[in-house]
Amino acid sequence: MNLLSSDDLSREQINKIFSIADHISDGKEELALADNATMALLFEKPSTRTRLSFEVAMAQLNGSAFYIDRHTSQLSRGETIADTAKVLGSYCDFIAARLFKQSDLVELAENAVGVPVINALTDIEHPTQALADLYTIKEFKGSIKNMEIAFIGDIATNTANSLMLTAAKLGANVTLIGPKGYMPNSTYVNKAKEYSKTRVTSSLVEGLEGADIIYTDTYVSMGEEKYAEKRRKLFSGYQVNAKVVSMAKKDAKVMHCLMAHRGEEITSEVLDGPQSIVWTQARNKLLLNKAIILFLSENTK
Ligand code: CP
Ligand code: NVA
């Protein structure tokens, strides 16, 4: 089984991954991978958290992870994704890939037959992030069902897409708040609407009313640097600052997938403030990645 998209997981499967994570954190019983399991990490874009959390996850599960990037591999000389996938799949038991295009990830999975492939972020999805995010919400709020999540700023990011779909499957309502005329990915909005209330608005006041969670992401995602100037202007009214936070519920929590651009999409005052849960959110990527690896290993036998 692969995890290429947040849509690959049913609500039951997401809950199963969460229960594996609970199990690991309780330390009740040994959960283990097959001896000497290996993971290839194929990355075309930079990463701190996703890369290291998969590497540490494999080490703590008594396996090993091997990092390979576009610049130092034969991808840089034109070797195809398909040929690369055949080789990685013949060496390793898992592949986690951070690629520019979701279609390349699908091609990778088609050619790494029998090896679970994990989406470590593409242009349109970041499913492992969404699992860590929702698990963190459960940790702080006690449950996910009926939570009101306000996603502010670049509402068309990979993070927004995966978060809205995963949250909706678990019964949370996501409101996407961004500038007038800047639309989210309609495929994800429509899919999310099948499960839960998913709204789009340009009004911070309207979108934040009753919000339990305030979530934001960078104005300029990796690979979109050419739009940087335009994006900074476009989203400037949608910074998560103290005033914006005060529009949500008093006990609302602030989340960010990180890395943060302090002073752009979020102020330091909020990021480091009492309502921020970003460091637990980041730490939970390690726990959830371990749970994802164990879940996929169990479902690929
Ligand atoms: N949240 C996240 O994916 O961080 P990295 O880009 O550092 O992996
Ligand atoms: N939307 C961001 C997420 C980084 C984790 C990006 O793609 O750069």
Side-chain angles (χ1 to χ4, degrees):
M1 180 180 177
N2 298 317
L3 177 53
L4 305 183
S5 163
S6 294
D7 212 22
D8 290 341
L9 297 173
S10 65
R11 181 169 46 154
E12 290 67 33
Q13 289 173 319
I14 298 167
N15 283 326
K16 176 70 191 166
I17 291 171
F18 287 180
S19 75
I20 296 173
D22 288 341
H23 207 84
I24 298 168
S25 44
D26 289 347
K28 272 187 197 144
E29 195 186 301
E30 194 80 355
L31 283 165
L33 274 182
D35 277 350
N36 302 317
T38 52
M39 174 180 280
L41 290 157
L42 177 66
F43 278 45
E44 291 185 322
K45 309 185 198 188
S47 171
T48 297
R49 283 146 286 268
T50 309
R51 172 184 174 174
L52 194 61
S53 57
F54 270 116
E55 289 178 340
V56 174
M58 284 302 290
Q60 291 184 350
L61 292 169
N62 297 321
S64 310
F66 302 93
Y67 181 77
I68 176 168
D69 67 28
R70 167 166 280 282
H71 302 296
T72 56
S73 70
Q74 299 290 10
L75 282 171
S76 65
R77 297 177 61 240
E79 188 164 22
T80 64
I81 288 279
D83 290 351
T84 305
K86 285 176 198 139
V87 177
L88 298 189
S90 72
Y91 294 163
C92 293
D93 303 304
F94 298 88
I95 300 173
R98 171 167 287 197
L99 304 182
F100 282 100
K101 295 200 297 203
Q102 180 78 16
S103 54
D104 282 346
L105 185 75
V106 171
E107 191 182 344
L108 179 87
E110 281 167 2
N111 286 279
V113 180
V115 175
V117 175
I118 302 169
N119 181 342
L121 182 147
T122 62
D123 52 349
I124 54 169
E125 288 235 25
H126 199 359
T128 64
Q129 181 68 45
L131 290 168
D133 296 342
L134 270 305
Y135 188 86
T136 307
I137 292 172
K138 192 165 177 236
E139 185 177 332
F140 280 90
K141 294 287 181 185
S143 75
I144 295 170
K145 202 168 164 49
N146 297 325
M147 279 288 120
E148 295 290 339
I149 303 173
F151 191 106
I152 303 179
D154 187 356
I155 52 177
T157 59
N158 38 25
T159 315
N161 292 339
S162 289
L163 182 74
M164 81 172 101
L165 191 50
T166 310
K169 285 187 181 184
L170 298 173
N173 302 312
V174 176
T175 302
L176 302 159
I177 313 171
K180 228 187 184 100
Y182 186 81
M183 299 313 287
N185 184 314
S186 58
T187 307
Y188 286 85
V189 173
N190 291 336
K191 267 189 209 166
K193 277 185 177 168
E194 288 172 25
Y195 302 95
S196 179
K197 282 185 217 142
T198 307
R199 289 173 290 239
V200 185
T201 177
S202 58
S203 162
L204 284 162
V205 175
E206 187 190 311
L208 281 160
E209 196 191 345
D212 298 291
I213 300 292
I214 302 167
Y215 197 116
T216 192
D217 186 5
T218 179
Y219 291 160
V220 187
S221 285
M222 291 178 277
E224 299 187 337
E225 290 77 9
K226 58 179 179 289
Y227 307 118
E229 208 178 314
K230 210 170 135 198
R231 291 284 174 84
R232 285 193 187 103
K233 275 193 203 129
L234 181 68
F235 296 125
S236 60
Y238 292 85
Q239 182 191 61
V240 175
N241 52 36
K243 187 172 167 219
V244 164
V245 172
S246 74
M247 295 176 190
K249 276 189 182 164
K250 269 203 168 64
D251 62 350
K253 300 292 182 199
V254 175
M255 302 182 75
H256 191 311
C257 57
L258 303 177
M259 67 167 277
H261 297 75
R262 291 168 180 263
E264 285 190 18
E265 74 276 4
I266 191 164
T267 59
S268 283
E269 185 189 3
V270 170
L271 193 73
D272 300 326
Q275 287 171 263
S276 168
I277 56 171
V278 300
W279 308 115
T280 306
Q281 180 187 359
R283 196 181 64 217
N284 278 341
K285 282 174 71 80
L286 171 59
L287 176 62
L288 268 294
N289 285 351
K290 275 196 241 175
I292 292 165
I293 293 164
L294 289 166
F295 172 82
L296 292 179
S297 140
E298 202 47 46
N299 286 277
T300 307
K301 279 172 191 161

